[in-house]
Amino acid sequence: MGIPELLPAIPEIFLAVAAMFLMMVGVFAREERAMRIVSGLTMLAIAVAMTLVLLQGRTATVTFGGLFAIDGFTVFMKILVLLGSLLTLIISHDFARREGMARFEYPILILFATVGMMMMISANDLIALYLGLELQSLSLYVIAAFQRDTVRSSEAGLKYFVLGALSSGLLLYGCSMIYGFAGTTQFAQLSSLFAGGEPVSLGVIVGVVFLVAGLAFKVSAVPFHMWTPDVYEGAPTPVTAFFSVAPKIAAIALLVRTMVGPLGGLAAEWQQIIIAISIGSMVLGALAAIAQRNIKRLMAYSSIGHIGYALIGLAAGTEAGVHGILVYMSIYLAMNVGTFTCIISMRQNGQAVEDIDDLAGFGKTHPRMGFAMLIFMFSMAGIPPLAGFFGKLYVFLAAIQEGLFALAIIGVVTSVIGAYYYLRIIKVMYFDEAIEPLDRLTARPVGVVMALTAFATMFFIIWPTPVIDGAALAAAALFAS
């Protein structure tokens, strides 16, 4: 394989080489400096990778014998993943130092997970899909349990590993069924096989069901959500922030690419599955979060609900639907990272707190942080003119255009129900009296990320063009390929 064939994968190759180099840097650097040096170089490597991805342009290219593809869709989703990883590292540094988990392996594991996510997004073959997914998953299992001195973190890592292994088995079994009955693992060949509209064997349908089940676990869609609340609560808060954005964006990208591309001809078969898990996710996310008192568990159920809304666009199965998903996930990235910066800042007497009741009087004692949290909660509830409203608007419109009126109505109703627990947080912040106020935010990087994400969420309506137009070009590229 020559240099021209390697060029489409330059960002992934660069990050993989950077991760191996940084492992050596971490080993030979003095222990007290290793985390700071490796973390800074990791953020620099991710910034360089973002530049390389943007320089690739939107020209559709396939390499590595058809295993790896890039186009406008992959560029858009990789930028979101890299941005999510970068923001996670920025908000992690001070937390890691305070909680005694400032070890150089942490940013390197995030880097390896990011490489896996980028491979997932560019996967053009069922085997490449699985390899990227496992590289991501193995790194995530470790960082879920990274705070190894706490029982909750160890339990979160163990639960995630056991259930993740089960989901990987389901996915691999689905891939093997599709290969056994279709005779190929290549996306392009599968697409041409199923494009004729001819009846397919039952074995292929069974394979598709298992494939969707495996991918639904990665996006924590109902009924494969069981790991999410425990892992979100037990994992270190920056790790939870990472889980809630970058891996979900990559898994959604992979799910969309697989369903619309190679399995696009079987839309009638998989559409009903997507509709079912979308409705289940929206309903569970809206109802189960009401009883939560731990804000990280609440955010876990919130993320399940948001995935349900995003899947409405996939259920539509159209370019408008995919456009809606891309807009939704872009907005979800900003408001979710912003929310977790507020959660990371929740400390009393130097100790991290996670109970919603501890936010009592937060809006009065910490007016700027309280206002940022208010923006994120209103946006997640879908209240105009904040960004979250437009994310839901695009997916609902796509469903209505395809005649999925019942799905859109269920989405609106669950949005109204879900608004209750977001508004409850605002009520606690502004109308309850603080018994013991939270500590002041001292980490400047966390404050900067909070301000930027709040600004993007609040003023999205003023300049939505980069996201809206970028998502439109990405969706068009996916349907053109």
Side-chain angles (χ1 to χ4, degrees):
M1 180 175 290
I3 296 297
E5 287 78 16
L6 294 176
L7 286 177
I10 281 296
E12 289 80 2
I13 293 171
F14 170 76
L15 284 183
V17 172
M20 290 184 282
F21 170 75
L22 289 173
M23 280 194 290
M24 301 305 296
V25 172
V27 168
F28 289 104
R30 286 189 298 180
E31 187 174 348
E32 63 273 12
R33 298 177 55 202
M35 172 66 176
R36 187 172 71 253
I37 294 171
V38 173
S39 183
L41 291 175
T42 301
M43 288 187 275
L44 178 62
I46 291 174
V48 172
M50 290 177 69
T51 305
L52 292 173
V53 170
L54 290 171
L55 289 175
Q56 286 181 322
R58 299 178 180 273
T59 305
T61 308
V62 178
T63 187
F64 288 97
L67 297 175
F68 189 93
I70 61 167
D71 52 32
F73 177 80
T74 63
V75 169
F76 187 89
M77 298 306 280
K78 284 179 183 180
I79 291 297
L80 292 185
V81 164
L82 289 166
L83 192 57
S85 300
L86 182 61
L87 292 175
T88 300
L89 285 171
I90 292 172
I91 65 177
S92 295
H93 188 77
D94 188 64
F95 180 94
R97 180 183 55 79
R98 288 196 312 253
E99 299 297 325
M101 49 176 274
R103 295 185 291 275
F104 73 87
E105 294 92 341
Y106 175 74
I108 292 173
L109 285 166
I110 286 185
L111 203 55
F112 276 123
T114 304
V115 174
M117 287 181 252
M118 294 174 71
M119 289 174 61
M120 287 165 57
I121 294 170
S122 283
N124 200 45
D125 184 283
L126 294 176
I127 303 301
L129 174 157
Y130 183 73
L131 289 175
L133 198 64
E134 285 307 291
L135 176 57
Q136 172 215 250
S137 298
L138 290 172
S139 302
L140 297 184
Y141 299 151
V142 179
I143 61 174
F146 202 79
Q147 206 168 359
R148 57 192 179 196
D149 295 331
T150 65
V151 174
R152 289 199 314 169
S153 182
S154 301
E155 182 185 348
L158 183 60
K159 285 181 177 178
Y160 192 27
F161 171 70
V162 172
L163 293 172
L166 174 63
S167 75
S168 295
L170 293 175
L171 186 140
L172 195 57
Y173 182 70
C175 292
S176 66
M177 288 287 287
I178 294 172
Y179 172 68
F181 284 90
T184 181
T185 58
Q186 293 273 335
F187 281 8
Q189 295 179 24
L190 288 171
S191 180
S192 60
L193 278 174
F194 302 142
E198 299 176 1
V200 296
S201 65
L202 181 62
V204 170
I205 304 302
V206 172
V208 171
V209 171
F210 277 98
L211 178 65
V212 173
L215 294 176
F217 176 92
K218 301 303 179 184
V219 297
S220 61
V222 172
F224 308 99
H225 66 284
M226 67 291 292
W227 62 274
T228 313
D230 291 336
V231 173
Y232 271 47
E233 182 182 7
T237 305
V239 174
T240 305
F242 183 60
F243 282 1
S244 71
V245 286
K248 274 192 170 54
I249 291 170
I252 279 285
L254 181 57
L255 185 60
V256 169
R257 189 175 193 88
T258 307
M259 295 297 104
V260 171
L263 304 179
L266 304 178
E269 283 77 10
W270 57 253
Q271 186 184 50
Q272 54 193 320
I273 304 173
I274 300 299
I275 290 174
I277 64 176
S278 175
I279 292 173
S281 300
M282 290 187 292
V283 171
L284 183 90
L287 298 178
I290 292 174
Q292 302 305 315
R293 292 293 177 264
N294 182 289
I295 194 166
K296 286 168 70 177
R297 287 187 74 86
L298 184 146
M299 289 302 296
Y301 286 108
S302 170
S303 74
I304 294 169
H306 283 293
I307 288 300
Y309 298 126
L311 290 175
I312 292 176
L314 181 56
T318 61
E319 186 175 321
V322 174
H323 178 224
I325 294 172
L326 301 186
V327 172
Y328 197 98
M329 297 312 292
S330 303
I331 294 169
Y332 176 76
L333 169 66
M335 59 189 185
N336 224 53
V337 170
T339 302
F340 275 101
T341 58
C342 295
I343 296 173
I344 287 172
S345 304
M346 290 170 56
R347 304 184 73 80
Q348 258 178 6
N349 301 320
Q351 300 297 315
V353 292
E354 297 171 3
D355 288 342
I356 294 172
D357 292 337
D358 291 320
L359 285 168
F362 186 66
K364 302 171 187 175
T365 58
H366 301 72
R368 285 180 291 183
M369 287 173 57
F371 182 66
M373 190 70 163
L374 179 142
I375 291 170
F376 300 132
M377 293 298 101
F378 274 149
S379 181
M380 286 192 171
I383 295 174
L386 299 176
F389 168 77
F390 295 98
K392 291 180 180 178
L393 177 65
Y394 275 92
V395 292
F396 289 161
L397 288 177
I400 291 170
Q401 288 172 7
E402 288 303 300
L404 301 174
F405 300 109
L407 185 59
I409 291 170
I410 292 171
V412 172
V413 172
T414 53
S415 291
V416 173
I417 297 171
Y420 167 79
Y421 53 82
Y422 296 123
L423 296 177
R424 177 162 62 92
I425 293 175
I426 296 171
K427 176 259 180 188
V428 170
M429 290 195 305
Y430 283 94
F431 296 98
D432 290 3
E433 292 299 325
I435 298 173
E436 186 175 1
L438 298 180
D439 298 343
R440 293 286 176 183
L441 175 66
T442 56
R444 186 179 296 273
V446 175
V448 170
V449 172
M450 188 187 301
L452 289 176
T453 50
F455 185 86
T457 304
M458 188 174 183
F459 295 107
F460 176 82
I461 188 174
I462 295 176
W463 194 41
T465 306
V467 172
I468 301 297
D469 290 356
L473 291 172
L478 183 63
F479 280 83
S481 59

